[in-house]
Amino acid sequence: MRFLQLSLLFTICIISVNDANAQKKKGQYTVSGRVIDNETNQPIEYATISLHQRLDQSLMTGNVTGPDGKFTIEAPQGNYYIEIQFISYQSKTIADISLSAESPAKNVGEVKLAADTKTLAEVVVSGEKDQMELNLDKRVFNVSSDLTNIGRNAAEILDNVPSVNVDVDGNISLRGSGNVRILVDGKPSGLVGISSPDALRLLQGDLIERIEVITNPSARYDAEGMAGIINIILKKEKRNGVNGSFTVNAGYPENYGLSLNLNVRRKWMNLFTTYGINYRETPGSGASFQEFYPENGVYRDDTTYFTERSQSRIRSGISNSFRIGSDFFLNDKTTLTASFLYRISDEENTSAIRYRDFDRNRELLQTVDRVDNETEDDRNLEYNINLNRDFNRTGQKLTADLQYRRSTENEKSQIFETGTGESSAPLEPNDQRVDNNEYDESWLLQADYVHPFGGDGKFEAGYRSTFGRLENDYIVEELNSAGEYVAFRDFTNSFNYVENIYAVYAILGIKVDQFSYQLGLRTEVTDIDLESGTENALIKKNYINLFPSGHMTYELNKKNSLQASYSRRLNRPRSRELNPFSSFSDARNLRVGNPDLDPEFTNSYEIGYLNTTSTASYYYGAYYRRSTDVIMRVIEPQSAGQEGDVQFITRPVNLGIRDSYGLEGNVSLDLSKWWKVNMNANFYRAITEGEAFGEDLSSDTYSMSGRFNSKITIWNKINYQANLNYRAPEEMPQGRRKSYYSVDMAVNKEIFNGKGTITASVSDLFNTRKWRSETFGKTFATMSEFQWRARQFMLTLNYRLNQKSKQREDKSGGGDYDGGDGERF
């Protein structure tokens, strides 16, 4: 660290001498000031002062402070900003420095540097970029710093984020609630899927920079997402010159991938592009045991009362993701960014299910085998335009966004069903096929304005509109005795969904001494048209809602802060929850939607305490959520008691009221220079009151989830990391989910003189990540176990072009004079 600082100091001095000699011919323009310690007010000697061009952020010249903390920099006339740095202190940037004939000298006055611990809205751990950065209002997870995430897809990475869980179907929950909003770069995206959570499996983790978890968003954000917002930030380089990285990986079960990130930066533009291609085969298996009870209490000898169900599946396919864009620096205050993203994937999936039906005496009645061969083609494209305008006043900013996205999904299934009955007599075979076509299109318009006032006041206002439509044609056909496929009317449907949302918001923030207040109000107008062709139903839903928010922070001192927050949120039913038909792979267990669903509303309260030191950060929080019209999937026996005709329908309903209480703790420790640990635990209680289909589905559950991460640097620059994840059992309205745990491990080493890194990793070392549950109803009981993905071994090679490794780069402490990240604010 000290060697890097001295090297930077030497570079600054050389540039300063050369520039000073040159400026003698051009006239004298100066920037001056004094650097002092924030707490002692003592001058800081040898602090590095860097002067950058505001237009392209290139380094112009620099100097160091003297014994009295003072500095003077000579430069030609122009528009600049300066960075002030010193070992063990936080860096500081001073913007809007203009030198001209009218204003040849700029004195920035006394600049106070604080000790290298971060406060609200900044990273809280110094040195190497931690995997987990703790703030009072959000948690940031630098997934590229987690060795065990290398080679994984987005869904697998999210399952490794504290307080976030991904179930066997790919559904995501936060703090035990599945009502979470997922964004990409702060906006909705087709990368998270149209109506299926499977899309996140197709997004390569190598394209993700970090994940932000916002548990109690302000009025600035969409009101969507009861438990909060998960924001996936994609990689985008900002270094000067030409640089990038290349990654190739191979794993077992089959998982092969290649990705690249390239960046070209010049004075007036920054071109960035990413590409990733991946082929993988994901095996899964499961089994369940079902018991049925006659409603009248009378058992029959020829009726199924027990069913053993076993399933195996392989999801395989290739996906390509391409993203290209550019920042255009129109002037020193205005940047226009345009980007295009395209993803294409082709999958071949096979699912084999065997049912074994038994009578009341456990005598085998029949065996049925059902094989589903499916092909799935997905296409996603997005266009984004962003305008960022800064003003002369520091912090005053106007941004505008325009986004267009279009997604298509086409699924074709060929299903064969055969079996044997009593005395091994063959059953009549079934030959069915499914054609499922989805088309999704949406526009987004957004503008945000920030206006500072007084010393520490800020007013924000914004507008946002989204216009979206979805079309879905779902066709099921069955081969008849004449050898012709005819429509299976009970499962064929045409579904059209139009959703337009208009929103405005305003936020007022004021800081008085150690108190910071922020009050906001968001108004959203929702206009929905839903049409189901088979049911001949046209449903219109229009509503206006207010969503207040409030945040208060009290800074006890530079290392300790308290925060209390409140927000009102909602969960609009998504298209897959409204569409009457969505799955036919398992004819006995169908998942359908409910066009009559209403939105779910939540009032969320949270308090938190953040403590930071030079080697550790601690966050402890408590939260409470009260939700009405809770949306929950409920299993309903469609028919039972008939031989070979036992069917269950799973559909979402507005169940009732839920009160959720929770405690969460996050700890990040630097135990030494070579050993870092992160720990997270979330304890919660959820009380649900409600009924569906004439059955009381109230429940009261206590549960928790936790994660422990340890990263050790051993001899010869070898890093070793181990993760332990645990999720406790949880009572649910119709049953119980059992506990599970998993262990991930990885080791890496720098090669090619620090330009490359090779990583070996294993996910779910003991093959224990299995979803186990028990479900109960008036006439049935089900025990099941399923494994979504098996243990994975992975070998990854990363090569960097004109870049340093993450370990070296993040320890530099800023001042990346050979091509820094270019961030000014």
Side-chain angles (χ1 to χ4, degrees):
M1 180 75 173
R2 187 173 296 275
F3 174 77
L4 289 174
Q5 283 289 87
L6 292 175
S7 299
L8 298 177
L9 176 60
F10 178 78
T11 303
I12 291 276
C13 292
I14 295 297
I15 295 176
S16 299
V17 171
N18 291 339
D19 256 0
N21 291 333
Q23 294 316 308
K24 290 178 181 179
K25 303 176 182 180
K26 300 182 181 180
Q28 300 295 327
Y29 298 91
T30 62
V31 179
S32 60
R34 183 169 182 257
V35 182
I36 62 175
D37 183 280
N38 184 53
E39 295 184 357
T40 65
N41 290 326
Q42 294 298 310
I44 299 177
E45 187 178 5
Y46 297 116
T48 302
I49 317 297
S50 311
L51 184 71
H52 294 260
Q53 291 272 16
R54 194 188 304 169
L55 178 61
D56 60 4
Q57 304 176 12
S58 61
L59 176 65
M60 185 65 185
T61 183
N63 208 338
V64 295
T65 56
D68 55 0
K70 294 182 179 180
F71 66 90
T72 300
I73 300 175
E74 297 179 350
Q77 61 179 329
N79 298 314
Y80 306 98
Y81 68 94
I82 62 172
E83 289 184 353
I84 304 172
Q85 300 167 316
F86 190 68
I87 299 171
S88 77
Y89 284 83
Q90 294 180 31
S91 301
K92 178 165 288 190
T93 298
I94 299 177
D96 301 324
I97 295 177
S98 297
L99 300 179
S100 63
E102 294 76 18
S103 179
K106 173 68 174 180
N107 190 322
V108 299
E110 287 190 341
V111 181
K112 296 183 178 181
L113 296 188
D116 195 10
T117 56
K118 307 288 184 175
T119 54
L120 181 61
E122 294 184 14
V123 178
V124 299
V125 182
S126 61
E128 178 183 347
K129 183 180 290 185
D130 268 13
Q131 297 170 18
M132 178 171 63
E133 302 175 2
L134 306 179
N135 300 313
L136 283 167
D137 56 346
K138 67 181 177 182
R139 258 70 76 204
V140 179
F141 302 94
N142 297 300
V143 299
S144 57
S145 299
D146 190 333
L147 305 185
T148 63
N149 283 328
I150 296 176
R152 289 183 170 185
N153 59 46
E156 293 168 335
I157 289 175
L158 283 173
D159 200 24
N160 204 32
V161 171
S163 300
V164 177
N165 292 285
V166 182
D167 69 13
V168 66
D169 296 314
N171 298 302
I172 296 169
S173 62
L174 173 62
R175 286 178 169 176
S177 172
N179 300 321
V180 57
R181 179 70 158 165
I182 301 176
L183 304 175
V184 177
D185 288 334
K187 305 179 186 68
S189 174
L191 293 178
V192 302
I194 299 178
S195 61
S196 169
D198 289 339
L200 286 170
R201 296 186 302 103
L202 305 177
L203 177 58
Q204 285 182 255
D206 293 335
L207 305 180
I208 299 175
E209 177 66 25
R210 66 184 184 274
I211 294 175
E212 300 174 346
V213 177
I214 307 169
T215 54
N216 214 7
S218 69
R220 182 185 307 110
Y221 297 93
D222 279 349
E224 185 81 24
M226 311 283 283
I229 293 172
I230 296 176
N231 189 22
I232 300 173
I233 306 298
L234 301 180
K235 289 181 178 178
K236 173 185 171 183
E237 292 293 345
K238 298 180 180 179
R239 296 172 175 85
N240 290 324
V242 179
N243 54 82
S245 64
F246 308 86
T247 302
V248 60
N249 63 265
Y252 177 82
E254 279 74 11
N255 186 348
Y256 308 101
L258 172 69
S259 65
L260 61 90
N261 297 272
L262 289 176
N263 178 78
V264 180
R265 189 181 186 101
R266 294 295 182 259
K267 289 185 177 182
W268 59 276
M269 60 88 70
N270 175 52
L271 177 67
F272 55 90
T273 182
T274 60
Y275 173 72
I277 182 172
N278 178 259
Y279 172 81
R280 67 189 300 167
E281 294 183 4
T282 307
S285 62
S288 65
F289 178 79
Q290 292 178 313
E291 183 175 356
F292 312 100
Y293 318 112
E295 288 192 67
N296 57 11
V298 178
Y299 286 86
R300 296 170 51 186
D301 292 334
D302 60 348
T303 299
T304 296
Y305 292 107
F306 303 95
T307 293
E308 293 178 354
R309 176 184 178 274
S310 58
Q311 179 180 4
S312 63
R313 75 174 190 185
I314 295 181
R315 304 186 69 103
S316 63
I318 187 169
S319 63
N320 294 264
S321 298
F322 173 71
R323 182 173 182 244
I324 187 170
S326 183
D327 302 312
F328 299 97
F329 308 113
L330 305 182
N331 54 51
D332 60 343
K333 293 183 181 297
T334 307
T335 302
L336 179 67
T337 301
S339 65
F340 169 73
L341 184 148
Y342 182 68
R343 185 182 70 185
I344 179 174
S345 64
D346 297 293
E347 292 191 61
E348 294 183 357
N349 307 317
T350 299
S351 174
I353 303 175
R354 168 167 286 189
Y355 313 95
R356 301 181 72 226
D357 298 323
F358 300 86
D359 64 14
R360 60 179 299 186
N361 298 314
R362 303 291 180 100
E363 296 292 335
L364 182 64
L365 293 176
Q366 65 176 8
T367 300
V368 178
D369 291 299
R370 185 177 178 88
V371 178
D372 181 357
N373 296 308
E374 179 194 63
T375 61
E376 181 177 347
D377 299 327
D378 296 349
R379 305 288 186 272
N380 303 276
L381 62 83
E382 293 182 11
Y383 299 90
N384 287 279
I385 297 176
N386 169 264
L387 180 67
N388 191 319
R389 166 68 177 172
D390 293 317
F391 297 87
N392 290 329
R393 175 178 249 170
T394 302
Q396 186 178 6
K397 178 180 291 190
L398 174 66
T399 61
D401 294 273
L402 172 64
Q403 180 195 73
Y404 171 76
R405 58 188 173 97
R406 185 175 71 229
S407 303
T408 60
E409 293 182 10
N410 176 246
E411 300 173 358
K412 294 182 180 293
S413 290
Q414 192 73 47
I415 302 172
F416 301 97
E417 189 173 280
T418 59
T420 57
E422 295 185 63
S423 303
S424 299
L427 300 177
E428 182 177 350
N430 283 329
D431 185 343
Q432 301 164 330
R433 64 186 185 187
V434 179
D435 191 358
N436 184 18
N437 291 283
E438 290 183 312
Y439 175 86
D440 177 43
E441 182 180 50
S442 69
W443 288 88
L444 179 146
L445 301 173
Q446 180 173 333
D448 301 275
Y449 175 70
V450 180
H451 186 87
F453 63 89
D456 295 293
K458 184 171 64 174
F459 173 76
E460 298 181 48
Y463 166 82
R464 180 186 179 107
S465 289
T466 57
F467 310 92
R469 67 185 179 95
L470 181 143
E471 300 173 357
N472 176 224
D473 292 320
Y474 193 84
I475 302 173
V476 180
E477 297 177 315
E478 191 169 47
L479 190 67
N480 62 16
S481 57
E484 298 176 343
Y485 282 97
V486 295
F488 203 157
R489 297 297 180 185
D490 291 340
F491 294 97
T492 297
N493 184 53
S494 176
F495 179 76
N496 296 301
Y497 179 79
V498 177
E499 179 186 84
N500 298 325
I501 301 173
Y502 312 88
V504 293
Y505 76 89
I507 298 175
L508 181 64
I510 300 175
K511 183 176 182 181
V512 180
D513 297 327
Q514 294 168 285
F515 282 96
S516 298
Y517 306 89
Q518 179 180 282
L519 299 175
L521 180 64
R522 186 180 187 91
T523 302
E524 292 193 353
V525 179
T526 304
D527 185 5
I528 294 176
D529 290 343
L530 185 155
E531 182 178 5
S532 178
T534 299
E535 297 188 354
N536 196 26
L538 177 61
I539 299 175
K540 290 181 174 290
K541 296 190 176 184
N542 303 284
Y543 43 88
I544 301 176
N545 301 107
L546 299 179
F547 299 96
S549 68
H551 293 72
M552 183 184 73
T553 301
Y554 178 70
E555 188 176 301
L556 301 172
N557 51 50
K558 294 299 181 181
K559 297 182 179 181
N560 297 273
S561 300
L562 295 171
Q563 187 191 61
S565 61
Y566 161 79
S567 68
R568 186 172 188 249
R569 314 285 299 162
L570 94 161
N571 175 35
R572 296 184 185 90
R574 311 319 302 166
S575 59
R576 65 179 175 181
E577 295 172 314
L578 298 169
N579 193 345
F581 304 110
S582 59
S583 174
F584 196 67
S585 295
D586 186 349
R588 298 193 185 185
N589 297 275
L590 302 176
R591 286 179 174 266
V592 301
N594 179 3
D596 294 325
L597 278 181
D598 292 322
E600 175 182 354
F601 292 89
T602 288
N603 287 288
S604 177
Y605 306 82
E606 185 167 350
I607 57 174
Y609 166 71
L610 178 65
N611 168 253
T612 64
T613 69
S614 59
T615 59
S617 61
Y618 307 87
Y619 173 81
Y620 306 100
Y623 59 90
Y624 166 68
R625 296 192 301 262
R626 182 172 179 82
S627 304
T628 57
D629 287 327
V630 173
I631 298 175
M632 178 170 291
R633 289 191 174 272
V634 176
I635 300 176
E636 177 190 13
Q638 185 74 5
S639 59
Q642 300 297 319
E643 182 178 354
D645 188 25
V646 181
Q647 190 177 75
F648 292 89
I649 305 294
T650 301
R651 74 175 79 242
V653 298
N654 290 113
L655 190 61
I657 298 174
R658 173 181 292 162
D659 291 297
S660 301
Y661 310 82
L663 297 173
E664 184 175 24
N666 293 275
V667 177
S668 180
L669 299 173
D670 292 352
L671 298 179
S672 68
K673 292 183 179 180
W674 51 270
W675 190 8
K676 298 174 180 289
V677 298
N678 294 314
M679 294 171 283
N680 165 270
N682 176 44
F683 302 86
Y684 60 92
R685 179 189 183 188
I687 304 172
T688 305
E689 299 179 358
E691 64 175 21
F693 313 122
E695 183 178 353
D696 184 10
L697 297 179
S698 300
S699 66
D700 187 355
T701 183
Y702 295 83
S703 190
M704 66 86 63
S705 63
R707 178 176 181 265
F708 176 82
N709 170 278
S710 175
K711 185 176 180 180
I712 298 174
T713 300
I714 51 182
W715 59 274
N716 203 19
K717 298 180 181 178
I718 295 177
N719 295 302
Y720 167 78
Q721 182 173 318
N723 293 343
L724 170 63
N725 291 278
Y726 174 74
R727 191 174 184 186
E730 179 179 357
E731 299 292 333
M732 298 180 293
Q734 278 192 298
R736 182 173 183 264
R737 177 191 51 77
K738 297 183 178 181
S739 65
Y740 71 81
Y741 75 95
S742 64
V743 175
D744 304 326
M745 297 177 65
V747 60
N748 78 352
K749 185 183 187 309
E750 289 190 22
I751 56 177
F752 304 139
N753 295 321
K755 294 182 178 180
T757 303
I758 187 168
T759 304
S761 62
V762 56
S763 173
D764 195 9
L765 177 64
F766 302 110
N767 212 32
T768 53
R769 190 181 280 123
K770 299 178 180 179
W771 187 270
R772 302 177 299 150
S773 64
E774 299 174 343
T775 306
F776 304 102
K778 289 182 178 180
T779 60
F780 71 95
T782 301
M783 280 66 71
S784 63
E785 177 179 299
F786 192 86
Q787 187 172 29
W788 181 37
R789 59 183 185 273
R791 176 173 44 211
Q792 177 85 59
F793 297 93
M794 187 73 66
L795 185 65
T796 304
L797 174 65
N798 175 263
Y799 182 80
R800 295 171 290 276
L801 175 66
N802 296 328
Q803 290 185 2
K804 296 170 287 185
S805 70
K806 281 289 181 183
Q807 288 85 355
R808 294 184 178 185
E809 180 180 358
D810 295 333
K811 288 180 180 179
S812 66
D816 223 350
Y817 295 104
D818 56 345
D821 64 6
E823 288 287 357
R824 285 182 283 171
F825 306 103

